[in-house]
Amino acid sequence: MPDEKSPAETLLRILIVDQNVLRASILEDGLREAGYRKVTVLRDMQNLMRRIVDNDPDVIFIDLENPNRDVLEQMFQVSRCVQRPIAMFVDRSDADMIAAAVDAGVGAYVVDGLRKERVKSVLDTAVSRFNAFNKLREELDRAKAALEERKVVERAKGILMKERGLTEDAAYTLLRKAAMNESRRISEVAQSVVTAARLLK
Amino acid sequence: MTDSSIIVGFIPLLDCAPLVVAAEKGFAAEAAIDLTLVRETSWANIRDRIVVGHFDAAHMLGPMAVAATLGIGHLKVPMIAPYSLGLGGNAITVSTAVWEQMLSFGASVGAHPRQQGAALLQVVRARAQSNKSPLTFAMVYPFSCHNYELRYWLSAAGIHPDLDVRLIVLPPPLLVDALREGQIDGFCVGEPWNSMAVAVEVGCIVAPTTAIWRLSPEKVLGLRLAWAQRHPERLAALLRALYRASQWCEQAANHAELSRLLAQPQYVGAPASILLRGLSNQLSLTPGSEPVLIPNFYAAARQAATFPWTSHALWFYSQMVRWRQTDYSHEHLPAVRATYRPDLYRLALAPLAVDLPAKDSKVEGAPNGSPTIASPSGALEYGPDGFFDERIFDPDDVATYVASQEVVSA
């Protein structure tokens, strides 16, 4: 809830480094809803260092798919590149928080000395948003796969209707029966029909 | 997850070969291991995913394991390296423009690193005199052999790696494009990325790092100490599988097949013909030139290449101190030594009755030392060794070595 946060907390400067537009905006929205007002998204990896220096963030999030993670970390180690020392993750002893972040696919970096409770709530928000994105992506993948399966079944039906002079219903029944007899999924049988038809052409 | 499963993270580089071969050529299955390889995009991910337990083991930079054990740069998590994934395989490459300048200052193709370094020093000075921005070199990770090898060569040439040039981190797959676009002027990386830069005519190989240090160590199999203690038999079986895989990788007759295996997108994803150069020690050093034999460029198994010498861990530590990644402390040394685990290597390989070095550590870089080391059957060939500046590293006297490491500026 936004009203639970202190004014200083809502003014944390948060930088999101993510080339995935959808995920970055889900995280950005989540942080804004949670009351954080200074959120910047960096999608373009050009001049990463310059832009981090300009932004002078308190907290940085980067997705783990990003190969530029190693680039980012070195900038923190070479302390003259950033105005304030940046630590990896939240607190070096807090293994649970790290595990939650890595599980969700996000790397988090904070300015050294930032109070742990301030960081915990922003990290919790980021982790839950990354998890929400992962769920969304799984759903999308499933929907895409289902659509592909439906397409294959349609094509198999078309082949059977043409080659064997069946009605659409009869073609579908035939596929379903074959699938049941062979204990396979109907989309797998359909794929075999499509492949066979292509080979026999 | 069964009690035979092992999940190993890797980065797409030539020296992930023993892991790929163990999985693909049946060595893991023979050892009754269910080996799953997971390709990663950054060294930071390798580190974090092994720490939180996504990976049981990883294709790891030797210095990374030492840094984790000491808690330098990140979490302190005791890590072990019971197996070396090979020796060498890296090179220093510069842009064709910098190479042209180096040629005018006396560099030549395949010359001694001292001669190449002297030429680069002139380039660095000329740029400083004409107020041009310093050259930018890239490496792949701060705790890496590449970082230390590049710095070793630069500083021996009188070029201060932090003052006279800029050193940045870039992921291997981005290096060739960065060189082409002029974002960087050179890099130190493992294969196939040096050969790739030459093949697309944007870079010239100045020196393979085995010219800088003949028996230079590289990646290791890294694991959390806690995992190794919980699963000693599974680890031993994995080491036996890797040993056989490394031997397979070493055979010249297998190199063509290996290059095709690694070329697949789920592994390194680079052209087989480019990968073959590093595997066969035949590098083309400049665009359009014929490949030349670089003896000992990459050793998968010969010369005791798979043995985890504790002296390697100690040398890495000396470089961490040299480049101010940590302060020297005598108390660090036992932990550094304990990161590399020749004892586990010996224990695992005992049933194979193969030749093993008699000692766990050796003087590094000793050119006049015996080319063989005592082993149960008599002698195991491992030499010749040598740093290009003829320094030697005595693992029993790290303090003196550390104190003698001067860094001068151009």
Side-chain angles (χ1 to χ4, degrees):
Chain A
M1 285 288 138
D3 52 355
E4 284 172 9
K5 291 190 175 56
S6 67
E9 209 168 322
T10 63
L11 291 177
L12 276 181
R13 277 187 301 271
I14 302 169
L15 184 68
I16 301 168
V17 183
D18 196 336
Q19 287 164 305
N20 184 308
V21 178
L22 179 60
R23 182 172 47 210
S25 60
I26 287 175
L27 178 55
E28 187 183 9
D29 289 350
L31 289 166
R32 287 191 191 283
E33 275 167 32
Y36 297 100
R37 284 150 56 191
K38 300 200 161 180
V39 184
T40 308
V41 179
L42 213 58
R43 292 193 188 95
D44 171 16
M45 295 298 123
Q46 295 290 318
N47 298 318
L48 193 58
M49 196 186 312
R50 175 85 256 144
R51 301 188 54 187
I52 288 174
V53 169
D54 290 349
N55 187 267
D56 192 23
D58 300 300
V59 180
I60 301 175
F61 292 115
I62 183 167
D63 68 288
L64 296 194
E65 289 161 19
N66 199 325
N68 285 291
R69 236 193 123 193
D70 288 337
V71 180
L72 196 67
E73 287 199 2
Q74 190 226 8
M75 291 176 195
F76 307 149
Q77 282 169 359
V78 185
S79 54
R80 64 171 183 272
C81 295
V82 284
Q83 281 133 308
R84 298 169 302 158
I86 301 220
M88 314 285 169
F89 289 108
V90 181
D91 176 76
R92 292 187 178 213
S93 60
D94 202 335
D96 288 347
M97 248 192 227
I98 294 173
V102 174
D103 281 341
V106 58
Y109 304 93
V110 301
V111 168
D112 247 350
L114 209 57
R115 275 201 355 268
K116 195 169 163 182
E117 29 319 348
R118 289 181 67 188
V119 172
K120 181 159 178 19
S121 80
V122 67
L123 184 68
D124 284 346
T125 306
V127 166
S128 76
R129 286 280 137 171
F130 260 72
N131 283 331
F133 171 79
N134 291 339
K135 217 173 138 216
L136 188 69
R137 178 150 69 182
E138 276 163 30
E139 278 164 15
L140 276 173
D141 288 347
R142 263 204 303 276
K144 226 189 254 168
L147 190 67
E148 284 305 313
E149 282 178 10
R150 232 180 3 244
K151 271 193 203 154
V152 172
V153 172
E154 287 302 317
R155 282 170 62 194
K157 272 197 305 193
I159 291 164
L160 292 177
M161 286 158 71
K162 189 171 159 223
E163 298 297 326
R164 300 201 33 194
L166 299 175
T167 64
E168 190 175 348
D169 281 352
Y172 186 74
T173 307
L174 189 62
L175 283 172
R176 204 183 54 195
K177 260 196 190 153
M180 273 162 64
N181 289 345
E182 295 174 30
S183 307
R184 288 163 73 197
R185 290 159 51 91
I186 196 161
S187 59
E188 289 169 9
V189 174
Q191 184 60 56
S192 310
V193 171
V194 171
T195 307
R198 195 168 56 226
L199 293 176
L200 292 172
K201 238 181 217 171
Chain B
M1 171 111 152
T2 64
D3 53 2
S4 66
S5 86
I6 302 186
I7 301 170
V8 183
F10 74 97
I11 295 284
L13 287 164
L14 183 76
D15 55 15
C16 70
L19 290 164
V20 172
V21 167
E24 292 274 354
K25 298 299 294 178
F27 298 111
E30 260 172 42
I33 296 170
D34 178 10
L35 181 60
T36 305
L37 300 182
V38 181
R39 184 174 143 134
E40 258 307 340
T41 52
S42 72
W43 289 110
N45 282 8
I46 290 275
R47 178 199 63 209
D48 291 344
R49 297 190 70 185
I50 201 157
V51 166
V52 305
H54 288 185
F55 299 150
D56 301 320
H59 175 221
M60 197 179 272
L61 298 158
M64 245 177 117
V66 176
T69 297
L70 295 177
I72 301 173
H74 196 245
L75 294 172
K76 183 170 178 168
V77 179
M79 204 68 72
I80 61 162
Y83 192 87
S84 156
L85 292 168
L87 296 173
N90 301 333
I92 296 169
T93 293
V94 297
S95 68
T96 48
V98 169
W99 180 243
E100 287 299 318
Q101 287 171 281
M102 284 176 67
L103 287 176
S104 71
F105 287 119
S108 64
V109 178
H112 192 275
R114 197 187 299 279
Q115 186 181 333
Q116 312 290 51
L120 186 67
L121 175 64
Q122 296 308 314
V123 175
V124 166
R125 283 190 175 146
R127 287 179 76 97
Q129 273 158 17
S130 53
N131 286 322
K132 281 192 192 145
S133 61
L135 294 174
T136 300
F137 281 85
M139 39 85 186
V140 296
Y141 196 68
F143 301 100
S144 69
C145 311
H146 317 85
N147 184 22
Y148 303 144
E149 286 161 349
L150 180 59
R151 285 169 175 271
Y152 192 96
W153 175 63
L154 289 171
S155 51
I159 300 166
H160 194 300
D162 293 312
L163 301 178
D164 300 328
V165 293
R166 289 205 317 136
L167 265 187
I168 63 164
V169 163
L170 273 184
L174 305 186
L175 287 173
V176 175
D177 282 342
L179 197 62
R180 180 191 286 117
E181 287 157 17
Q183 288 169 31
I184 56 174
D185 302 292
F187 53 69
C188 181
V189 71
E191 282 291 274
W193 304 106
N194 297 286
S195 288
M196 195 77 102
V198 173
V200 300
E201 307 192 335
V202 304
C204 299
I205 297 175
V206 171
T209 50
T210 45
I212 292 165
W213 178 7
R214 281 186 167 181
L215 292 180
S216 51
E218 241 311 306
K219 310 295 183 307
V220 293
L221 181 79
L223 309 96
R224 268 169 299 137
L225 174 62
W227 191 93
Q229 284 170 336
R230 267 203 313 279
H231 308 289
E233 280 164 20
R234 219 186 298 181
L235 173 58
L238 175 63
L239 298 188
R240 284 191 287 275
L242 283 176
Y243 185 82
R244 296 216 189 276
S246 294
Q247 299 290 331
W248 190 93
C249 292
E250 185 62 58
Q251 301 306 313
N254 296 330
H255 287 165
E257 180 181 351
L258 178 53
S259 67
R260 289 192 299 273
L261 202 54
L262 293 174
Q264 298 177 75
Q266 72 270 33
Y267 296 128
V268 181
S273 61
I274 303 287
L275 285 155
L276 190 57
R277 295 184 185 184
L279 288 173
S280 61
N281 296 336
Q282 299 269 349
L283 298 189
S284 176
L285 298 174
T286 54
S289 69
E290 286 298 310
V292 291
L293 178 68
I294 311 287
N296 298 336
F297 171 70
Y298 166 65
R302 64 178 188 275
Q303 298 174 300
T306 62
F307 191 75
W309 298 97
T310 54
S311 39
H312 287 170
L314 289 163
W315 188 79
F316 295 145
Y317 177 70
S318 75
Q319 301 309 293
M320 291 176 190
V321 174
R322 183 178 196 185
W323 304 115
R324 315 291 285 274
Q325 291 174 328
T326 186
D327 290 326
Y328 180 79
S329 160
H330 204 64
E331 263 122 59
H332 281 152
L333 299 183
V336 172
R337 227 177 261 121
T339 303
Y340 273 48
R341 294 296 297 271
D343 58 323
L344 296 179
Y345 178 96
R346 291 178 193 285
L347 199 65
L349 299 194
L352 304 185
V354 292
D355 259 353
L356 299 171
K359 294 198 296 177
D360 289 346
S361 116
K362 59 182 163 78
V363 171
E364 299 293 343
N368 300 320
S370 160
T372 60
I373 32 181
S375 72
S377 78
L380 174 62
E381 195 157 313
Y382 87 105
D385 196 6
F387 287 94
F388 82 97
D389 61 354
E390 286 154 26
R391 289 177 59 98
I392 60 165
F393 174 73
D394 178 357
D396 294 327
D397 192 6
V398 179
T400 305
Y401 184 85
V402 163
S404 72
Q405 302 185 106
E406 287 177 352
V407 190
V408 296
S409 174

